[in-house]
Amino acid sequence: WKLAAEAELTKNFLNTYAFHESTPEELRQHGRPLPMLCVWTQQESEDYFKCRACVCGNFAEKDPTQQSWTAQAEPSSLLASLKIGRVEGWDASKHDVKGAFLYAKLPAGRLVIVRPPDIWVEWGIVKEGTFWTLEKAVYGLRESPALWSAERDGQLRKLEWCVGNKTYYLRCCPSDSQVWLLTEKGDASNKLRGILVVYVDDFLLQTKAGPFRDAFLAALGKVWTLDKEQTLAVGSPFTFLGIEMVMQKNGSIPTHLHT
């Protein structure tokens, strides 16, 4: 568990420049620092231990006008995209952005000071009496989901990738802002090459296997660090948007709510 905590500090805080050590002046301006805690998970199927350090955002003053949610695709959009994918014979895979919220910066002038998790001090990972002034939207802050949502959508709108002499981009679906259509630039017919469905920091990609799919994922990987992908296949179901999908031998995908 200590190794997991050290990895969290290094990869998701130090490497992303998520904070700087608080100055005396910042401490005077902020008042009482917000505490942090750790969420621990272990995957039984693998010898994998994970630590997620979060801010106790419930201790912060609440602004009733502040947006604190992130847009996500509608379940009906997901089911419609799966139907299209089956008709087109596309592969379906799930991709997760590692430490997603930490890609989003806090707004200029937003001062948030936190106290690192007590267990990190006890283990000697962080010096006693340390306080951090946050630069990024750390998990647990009320505004972090909305800040990540803006970061995510802005990057997806700019994303382009090339295959041969053709350039492709993501076109936002007019009926659901979290469904993105993989399209060739300059193609007047707007032929659909694939669909990306978004749920917070999880992506469900449907497109044909091959250079086009590889180039798209490579472009996405230059923007964010992606976790190991999960491919929907017979005997390898997965859950997305709270809906479990199971691939049948005939290619159909029965779905049901995951509980």
Side-chain angles (χ1 to χ4, degrees):
W1 291 114
K2 184 178 179 181
L3 290 175
E6 290 172 341
E8 168 74 352
L9 174 60
T10 301
K11 294 179 180 179
N12 285 339
F13 283 84
L14 296 176
N15 290 356
T16 62
Y17 303 99
F19 67 88
H20 65 260
E21 290 203 14
S22 304
T23 66
E25 178 59 28
E26 287 173 333
L27 287 168
R28 283 193 293 269
Q29 291 181 33
H30 185 272
R32 183 182 179 186
L34 301 176
M36 295 183 69
L37 54 77
C38 292
V39 178
W40 310 93
T41 54
Q42 179 182 3
Q43 293 182 2
E44 295 182 2
S45 59
E46 302 177 23
D47 187 18
Y48 179 72
F49 298 80
K50 182 178 179 180
C51 170
R52 171 75 74 197
C54 304
V55 178
C56 298
N58 55 306
F59 284 88
E61 292 185 9
K62 187 174 182 180
D63 179 356
T65 66
Q66 184 182 66
Q67 180 181 329
S68 58
W69 51 270
T70 176
Q72 62 190 45
E74 294 293 330
S76 57
S77 299
L78 172 61
L79 297 178
S81 75
L82 289 173
K83 179 65 176 179
I84 294 172
R86 292 302 84 212
V87 172
E88 297 290 342
W90 292 337
D91 286 356
S93 55
K94 187 169 74 168
H95 306 265
D96 172 59
V97 179
K98 286 187 174 182
F101 287 12
L102 296 173
Y103 286 97
K105 294 181 179 179
L106 290 180
R110 174 77 166 112
L111 179 62
V112 180
I113 296 179
V114 299
R115 187 183 74 243
D118 291 340
I119 190 66
W120 288 11
V121 176
E122 183 180 330
W123 283 344
I125 298 173
V126 177
K127 292 181 180 180
E128 188 173 359
T130 296
F131 296 102
W132 295 337
T133 298
L134 299 184
E135 306 274 0
K136 301 290 184 69
V138 174
Y139 288 85
L141 290 178
R142 287 192 176 98
E143 65 263 45
S144 289
L147 293 172
W148 159 245
S149 179
E151 158 70 16
R152 177 197 64 203
D153 293 356
Q155 293 290 355
L156 291 178
R157 288 189 183 94
K158 295 188 296 183
L159 191 72
E160 293 185 358
W161 66 101
C162 297
V163 181
N165 60 354
K166 295 181 179 179
T167 302
Y168 299 89
Y169 74 107
L170 291 170
R171 180 164 49 92
C172 187
C173 179
S175 59
D176 191 325
S177 67
Q178 296 310 308
V179 175
W180 300 80
L181 312 176
L182 284 66
T183 313
E184 180 186 344
K185 291 192 75 174
D187 181 2
S189 67
N190 283 328
K191 181 181 177 181
L192 192 58
R193 311 288 176 139
I195 299 176
L196 186 75
V197 182
V198 175
Y199 173 49
V200 191
D201 55 0
D202 287 338
F203 301 142
L204 179 69
L205 172 64
Q206 293 186 91
T207 191
K208 286 187 177 180
F212 177 83
R213 178 182 183 275
D214 295 342
F216 169 72
L217 288 175
L220 203 64
K222 290 180 181 178
V223 181
W224 305 302
T225 299
L226 302 178
D227 209 341
K228 183 180 179 181
E229 71 177 68
Q230 293 178 263
T231 302
L232 187 61
V234 177
S236 299
F238 61 57
T239 300
F240 183 84
L241 199 61
I243 297 174
E244 185 172 27
M245 292 164 256
V246 182
M247 176 73 76
Q248 300 293 313
K249 291 182 179 180
N250 64 1
S252 65
I253 304 176
T255 60
H256 59 271
L257 291 177
H258 181 75
T259 55

